[in-house]
Amino acid sequence: MLASLGLFVFTLSTIPYQAKETSRSWRHSGSARVGMIESNQFTGPDNATVTISGTLHPELTGGLITISLLERMADTGAAWPYIKGTGEVVGLYVIKDIKYTESNILFHGRPRQIDFSMTLREVEDIDLIGEITSALSFDLSGALKTAGQKINSTISSLLS
């Protein structure tokens, strides 16, 4: 296990990311003064962001089906616990964006390679924690049905 976000586990068979970038920043508010440089006040840390990226090869690793599960998690707007593979709980994170590029397209439209990145944003909103329980039922049966439909359409296109 590389890491987990809520119930989604990043492994070699789902999304084996190759890079993880963490960004932290701190706010300093400035006030203009006549004839002098600005006065500054430290107003606190900003939310951390984590960007996970890698290349998927659907024949060996996860593909569009695993990406669609992450998209459905993002659609809930809920905060998910982000846990490193070492067991360290990093904190609560929301999915800010997911980007992917399909390439090496086969004759039936299926990609052989997907370049993937996802940005997570740290939140401390205790109210979002309550959302996790309702988000856990984010229609897993619907996600599995969609996955099944994609598999069936792929098989039927291969047979045609």
Side-chain angles (χ1 to χ4, degrees):
M1 175 178 101
L2 300 169
S4 70
L5 181 66
L7 297 176
F8 187 88
V9 180
F10 293 90
T11 66
L12 295 177
S13 62
T14 59
I15 295 182
Y17 61 86
Q18 286 84 32
K20 183 184 92 152
E21 175 185 320
T22 302
S23 175
R24 305 273 334 250
S25 60
W26 294 263
R27 293 184 308 275
H28 294 268
S29 180
S31 295
R33 300 187 294 183
V34 177
M36 302 176 73
I37 64 170
E38 282 188 343
S39 66
N40 284 286
Q41 180 180 5
F42 175 66
T43 58
D46 276 332
N47 301 60
T49 59
V50 173
T51 302
I52 295 169
S53 61
T55 300
L56 307 178
H57 299 280
E59 297 162 339
L60 305 172
T61 63
L64 294 175
I65 293 171
T66 52
I67 292 173
S68 69
L69 286 173
L70 287 170
E71 288 173 334
R72 292 181 78 95
M73 287 173 62
D75 287 342
T76 67
W80 303 92
Y82 177 61
I83 303 169
K84 291 182 179 179
T86 59
E88 176 189 347
V89 178
V90 180
L92 287 175
Y93 284 77
V94 294
I95 299 173
K96 186 176 173 187
D97 66 50
I98 296 174
K99 299 175 188 170
Y100 59 94
T101 303
E102 301 171 41
S103 58
N104 299 325
I105 309 295
L106 297 173
F107 68 93
H108 50 71
R110 225 174 124 200
R112 295 190 80 188
Q113 178 176 325
I114 302 169
D115 294 312
F116 169 84
S117 73
M118 175 174 68
T119 303
L120 307 173
R121 186 166 192 239
E122 179 184 33
V123 294
E124 289 187 6
D125 244 345
I126 300 301
D127 295 337
L128 288 177
I129 293 175
E131 296 283 330
I132 292 174
T133 55
S134 63
L136 289 178
S137 61
F138 71 97
D139 190 19
L140 183 59
S141 63
L144 292 174
K145 182 179 178 184
T146 303
Q149 289 170 347
K150 286 183 180 181
I151 292 169
N152 287 337
S153 69
T154 301
I155 291 172
S156 60
S157 67
L158 286 172
L159 296 174
S160 332

